[in-house]
Amino acid sequence: MTRRTMSTALVAFLLLSGLAARAHKPSDSYLSLASHGGHIDGTWDIALRDLDDAVGLDDDGDGTVTWGELRKHQVQIAAYALPRLRLSMGGSECASEQLGLQVDSHTDGAYAVLHFSMDCKREGEAIQMTYSLLFDIDPSHRGLVRLSGPHGVQTAVFSPAHATQELHLSSSSGIGQFATFLREGVFHIWTGFDHILFLLALLLPVVVRRKEGHWVPVDNWRVALREVLKVVTMFTLAHSLTLSLAALGIVQLPSRLVESAIALSVLLAALNNLWPFLHGKQWAFAFGFGLLHGFGFASVLTDMGLPAVGLARALFGFNVGVELGQLAIVAGFLALAYPVRRPWIYQRVVLGGGSVGIATLSSVWLIERAFDLRFLPI
């Protein structure tokens, strides 16, 4: 691969990251099941914004779903959701029945809480579960399931690639749950484009340095690697700390404040590449704002209601997954950026143009999140 080709690939990577970016928390639903022999009680928390996209709740088009509008559509909501959750036990499919509808508040907004029950003709040691809610609308949607049985609590995460799973009532697989949340940690960082763009904005200048008001390439890879390690280590320490504190319920911050601050961090990191003000202190900046990014990562776990043992396992697996996904991104960036640091296209197009693009996108995110608006369709 030539240097020009590698430069083009790096620019394309940055542009695709921006085009695919989401301005808000990824779509999740929270399903809590309690097994009593052949009978299962369930509550299903589904975001109002997701239900509005799926079945249309905002009848007057004012951008707000009222309790009256939600109650009017409760039969439609149950008819949409319950067929997309199929459970069977002992080889026999369980029949579902809606019991009621409420509203609850999660870290990222209002959720409809669907109460239901399922009766299974036979009892068994395992529940076979198929989950397909919203997958046809949003392939990034995840269903986070908590199953309470006679031998404790189990957790699972459903995705289009893992839409059917088996949960055992007689035993709990710690390794399986760890692997599930490790996979979700990787997924979360790879789809958390605000986190990715924050890292990229901080890493873009590591293969160059300022000299007499201009960017010039670093002399060797050790200099670049040292700066990368400083930034990534500080970011990791910071977000791991607050991810743990938030997931354990020790510290909680309003979702809008956290998401707005994350957008601001991306904007400032990009502006520093255009008008440097950090003066080699990117590592300190990464640590300070990394604390806020940790609260953003924790959103997947805080609403799940896991018990202490399950939460500790999920937290560890999720955090390891985030770090592995982050390392893959950093390694890919450095492998592309270092060989092409000398041509002018890196300083002007990748560093300059990329930073302008990141700053523009993060500015829109900041306005959207701070004032609860929506401009971008992504």
Side-chain angles (χ1 to χ4, degrees), residues 47-276:
L48 292 187
R49 61 180 181 274
D50 290 335
L51 286 173
D52 190 33
D53 290 339
V55 301
L57 303 178
D58 186 14
D59 293 331
D60 57 11
D62 65 351
T64 302
V65 178
T66 65
W67 168 243
E69 290 171 327
L70 183 64
R71 185 173 55 184
K72 176 182 176 181
H73 291 279
Q74 63 177 330
V75 174
Q76 188 180 3
I77 291 171
Y80 172 77
L82 290 178
R84 288 167 172 79
L85 177 67
R86 298 176 59 189
L87 274 67
S88 62
M89 188 183 300
S92 176
E93 187 165 346
C94 307
S96 61
E97 178 186 5
Q98 179 195 358
L99 299 179
L101 189 68
Q102 293 178 318
V103 178
D104 195 8
S105 179
H106 286 244
T107 58
D108 60 323
Y111 279 62
V113 182
L114 180 63
H115 294 265
F116 63 95
S117 67
M118 287 189 162
D119 285 308
C120 310
K121 295 180 180 179
R122 301 177 184 174
E123 295 186 26
E125 295 297 320
I127 294 177
Q128 292 76 37
M129 186 180 307
T130 299
Y131 178 107
S132 58
L133 183 77
L134 294 166
F135 288 162
D136 56 336
I137 298 175
D138 182 1
S140 69
H141 174 77
R142 293 295 186 266
L144 284 77
V145 176
R146 179 180 184 268
L147 172 64
S148 301
H151 298 279
V153 175
Q154 296 187 59
T155 57
V157 180
F158 286 79
S159 65
H162 299 86
T164 299
Q165 300 183 44
E166 184 173 272
L167 282 71
H168 292 269
L169 297 172
S170 59
S171 62
S172 176
S173 172
I175 295 177
Q177 292 184 44
F178 173 84
T180 293
F181 282 94
L182 184 147
R183 183 175 64 244
E184 289 308 306
V186 174
F187 170 82
H188 196 70
I189 185 68
W190 283 359
T191 58
F193 294 101
D194 45 6
H195 306 298
I196 292 176
L197 291 184
F198 177 70
L199 264 179
L200 287 179
L202 291 176
L203 293 177
L204 281 172
V206 300
V207 295
V208 292
R209 59 186 177 86
R210 295 290 289 183
K211 184 178 181 181
E212 298 178 355
H214 300 283
W215 293 107
V216 296
V218 296
D219 297 327
N220 57 71
W221 65 269
R222 293 181 182 84
V223 175
L225 183 60
R226 183 171 62 245
E227 291 304 310
V228 168
L229 290 177
K230 286 163 62 176
V231 168
V232 172
T233 299
M234 290 298 103
F235 182 62
T236 298
L237 288 175
H239 73 64
S240 296
L241 174 62
T242 48
L243 167 60
S244 301
L245 292 175
L248 293 171
I250 298 173
V251 179
Q252 298 289 339
L253 292 179
S255 176
R256 185 184 295 184
L257 172 62
V258 170
E259 296 300 321
S260 299
I262 289 174
L264 177 62
S265 73
V266 180
L267 174 60
L268 293 176
L271 292 178
N272 175 67
N273 298 336
L274 303 173
W275 299 283

